[in-house]
């Protein structure tokens, strides 16, 4: 895995937002960091030619090591990554917190996740929160499945094939 970082927004003292590139077996991922934590982790939709500069406080390198471990073993301790929850409702925060607690290699239904988040009748709201997940893998929305155990939507490149790949990787 290779990390390159680019200040996304610069001020006189230091960038307030930093983007870092991470090479994975499924393509390049971009992490966006704020002073509060990881704001997003997503796969690039297209090939990127960004060179980046060496600016980082160590968080991107730490994430890169965790991604390397994850794609090598199917397991990594992403729970130590601090997230920037800017823009999330209280319910969404609970949903994401409960989703982060799902054990690698296992799945739960949208309904069960809604129950764990405190509102068993909110499975559609959970589905909407999963669809808006901007921190892929760290918030493992791929571990949430439909009522019959079937795979439902996955907005990352590759869609359901990527979701199945991640579940298979964690089960090996």
């Amino acid at each position: 895995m290779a990390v390159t970082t680019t200040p996304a927004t610069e001020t006189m003292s230091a960038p307030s937002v930093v983007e870092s590139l991470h090479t994975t077996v499924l393509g390049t991922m971009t992490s966006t960091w704020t002073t509060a934590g990881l704001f997003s982790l997503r796969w690039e939709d297209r090939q990127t030619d960004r060179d980046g500069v060496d600016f980082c406080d160590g968080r991107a390198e730490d994430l890169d090591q965790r991604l390397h471990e994850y794609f090598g073993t199917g397991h990594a301790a992403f729970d130590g990554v601090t997230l920037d929850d800017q823009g999330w409702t209280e319910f969404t925060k609970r949903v994401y917190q409960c989703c982060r607690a799902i054990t690698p290699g296992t799945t739960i239904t949208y309904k069960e996740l809604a129950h764990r988040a405190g509102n068993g009748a909110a499975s559609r709201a959970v589905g909407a929160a999963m669809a808006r997940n901007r921190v892929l893998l760290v918030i493992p929305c791929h571990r949430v499945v439909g009522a019959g155990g079937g795979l439902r939507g996955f907005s990352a490149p590759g869609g359901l094939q990527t979701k199945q790949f991640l579940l298979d990787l964690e089960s090996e």
Side-chain angles (χ1 to χ4, degrees):
M1 305 240 168
V3 178
T4 42
T5 57
T6 303
T9 306
E10 288 196 39
T11 63
M12 292 295 281
S13 58
S16 58
V17 175
V18 175
E19 288 189 338
S20 298
L21 300 178
H22 308 270
T23 303
T24 75
V25 296
L26 292 176
T28 301
M29 296 188 86
T30 300
S31 62
T32 303
W33 299 87
T34 67
T35 55
L38 180 60
F39 183 80
S40 70
L41 177 63
R42 65 196 180 281
W43 271 287
E44 290 288 321
D45 290 336
R46 62 198 180 309
Q47 197 78 346
T48 183
D49 292 327
R50 290 189 271 178
D51 286 334
V53 296
D54 187 17
F55 177 87
C56 194
D57 57 12
R59 299 176 300 176
E61 285 89 351
D62 178 64
L63 176 63
D64 200 66
Q65 289 174 357
R66 293 171 197 252
L67 289 169
H68 182 73
E69 179 183 352
Y70 177 78
F71 283 106
T73 68
H75 303 277
F78 289 118
D79 54 338
V81 177
T82 301
L83 301 179
D84 179 344
D85 61 8
Q86 174 184 320
W88 296 345
T89 66
E90 288 305 314
F91 180 70
T92 299
K93 290 176 190 178
R94 286 193 312 272
V95 168
Y96 289 162
Q97 179 182 19
C98 293
C99 186
R100 289 183 83 180
I102 303 169
T103 304
T106 64
T107 59
I108 66 170
T109 64
Y110 293 97
K111 183 175 178 119
E112 174 61 24
L113 184 53
H115 177 73
R116 291 182 186 185
N119 186 347
S123 56
R124 286 182 186 241
V126 166
M130 294 295 97
R132 290 188 310 269
N133 178 14
R134 64 181 187 233
V135 193
L136 301 174
L137 302 179
V138 177
I139 299 173
C141 56
H142 62 279
R143 296 182 191 146
V144 184
V145 297
L151 301 185
R152 298 289 179 256
F154 193 64
S155 58
L160 295 180
Q161 288 179 319
T162 299
K163 186 171 187 167
Q164 186 64 61
F165 175 88
L166 296 172
L167 292 172
D168 291 345
L169 176 68
E170 293 178 354
S171 296
E172 292 177 355

